[in-house]
Amino acid sequence: MTNKLYSIGGGQMAEAIIRAVIKNKVFDKSDITVNDISDARRTLLENSYGIATSENLSNDDLAAADIIMIAVRPQDDLSSIAKKIKQSDTKAAIVSIVAGVTIDKLEHLLDIKDVALARIIPNTLTDTGFGYTGASLNDHIEKEQVDAFFKGFGKVEYIPEELIDTFTGYAVAGPNYVYNFYKDLCNAGVLAGLNRELANKLALENLKGAAAMLEQTGKHPSELLDINNSAGGVGINAQYELDNSDFSAGIQRAVMAAVRTTKELGK
Ligand SMILES: NC(=O)C1=CN([C@@H]2O[C@H](COP(=O)(O)OP(=O)(O)OC[C@H]3O[C@@H](n4cnc5c(N)ncnc54)[C@H](OP(=O)(O)O)[C@@H]3O)[C@@H](O)[C@H]2O)C=CC1
Ligand SMILES: O=C(O)[C@@H]1CCC=N1
């Protein structure tokens, strides 16, 4: 890809995306510029990736960009950013990664006729090649304008916009649920007397192996549990305690809270 990427906001998520697209050769570092109000972030990005940065939104950079990524937080000054994009006469496709903020709101803020716009929610597993980005496109953008960019930092699922908040709370926050499960499982091993290193190693192996079993067999987890839980045995006794706990509802409440928060952040 010989296009130019201009990111407004150079925080954690923008950095993860930029690191991946450079590594996967979707953009050359010389074709990426980041605008960020934080001196510390600009210095870090310049030193770590050899990309250009700017403190102020530059007309020239906006006009030269093929893709402008809006990567600030929902509570940051989106309307000033949108105003400067409008004033720049850019022809770029605009990609917003801002959680919760709708295409309708972005179109309204940008106020550019027939603006090519994608609202995405990137995953946080960009360094691994795993993890889906959820993407919704407005009526004025072609998938080809952004598809290679999105695939440069993982997998992409194009979804109707009404699903994107759910996608955010369930799939993009998804690794957080798994990290929590892993942490608690490791602690259980330590509680039972294993040293930390061994407990962590065994839990990680089981996490990867169980994921591979689900993928390779295509079986429902209940079928795999039936195989593992012998009559009156170890597994079924552990199962009884899990079934008797808040385990399932706790996970489901956490996902619902994440979806709810995504919707509230965008208002
Ligand atoms: N982190 C994640 O896991 C995910 C994040 N997202 C979305 O990505 C977006 C960014 O999140 P994240 O990277 O974590 O946040 P960060 O706080 O790490 O990054 C935001 C950056 O933007 C800078 N900034 C704020 N206002 C402006 C402005 N007007 N012009 C230029 N730069 C500005 C901030 O500077 P300063 O700190 O000085 O204000 C900061 O460096 C959010 O909208 C979030 O919803 C989406 C998916 C996953
Ligand atoms: O919590 C956050 O801000 C990000 C957005 C989606 C998931 N994590």
Side-chain angles (χ1 to χ4, degrees), residues 7-17 34-42 45 54-57 70-78 80-81 84 96-101 120-125 168 172-173 176 262 265:
S7 180
I8 303 173
Q12 298 305 322
M13 197 65 236
E15 180 183 354
I17 288 172
V34 174
N35 160 255
D36 198 293
I37 55 175
S38 157
D39 295 344
R41 290 303 299 171
R42 290 197 310 279
L45 292 169
S54 72
E55 183 178 2
N56 300 305
L57 267 181
I70 303 179
V72 297
R73 293 160 300 229
Q75 58 272 36
D76 291 331
D77 192 358
L78 275 172
S80 298
I81 291 170
K84 287 188 181 143
S96 166
I97 72 164
V98 185
V101 179
I120 69 164
I121 189 74
N123 72 81
T124 57
L125 300 172
T168 306
V172 171
N176 299 7
T262 310
L265 276 175

Side-chain angles (χ1 to χ4, degrees), residues 5 30 32 40 71 82 95 176 192 250:
L5 173 67
S30 60
I32 301 177
V95 174
N176 299 7

Side-chain angles (χ1 to χ4, degrees), residues 12 18 63 82 100 128-129 137 146-147 151 162 180-181 187 206 212 221 226 231-232 241 245:
Q12 298 305 322
I18 287 166
T128 68
L137 308 180
V146 283
D147 194 54
K151 287 179 177 153
E162 57 265 29
N180 269 288
F181 173 72
N187 279 342
N206 279 336
D226 274 356
E241 288 298 338
S245 76

Side-chain angles (χ1 to χ4, degrees), residues 59 62-63 84-92 112:
N59 242 13
L62 285 167
K84 287 188 181 143
I85 295 175
K86 178 182 166 66
Q87 286 163 357
S88 75
D89 286 331
T90 182
K91 297 282 179 288
I112 301 171

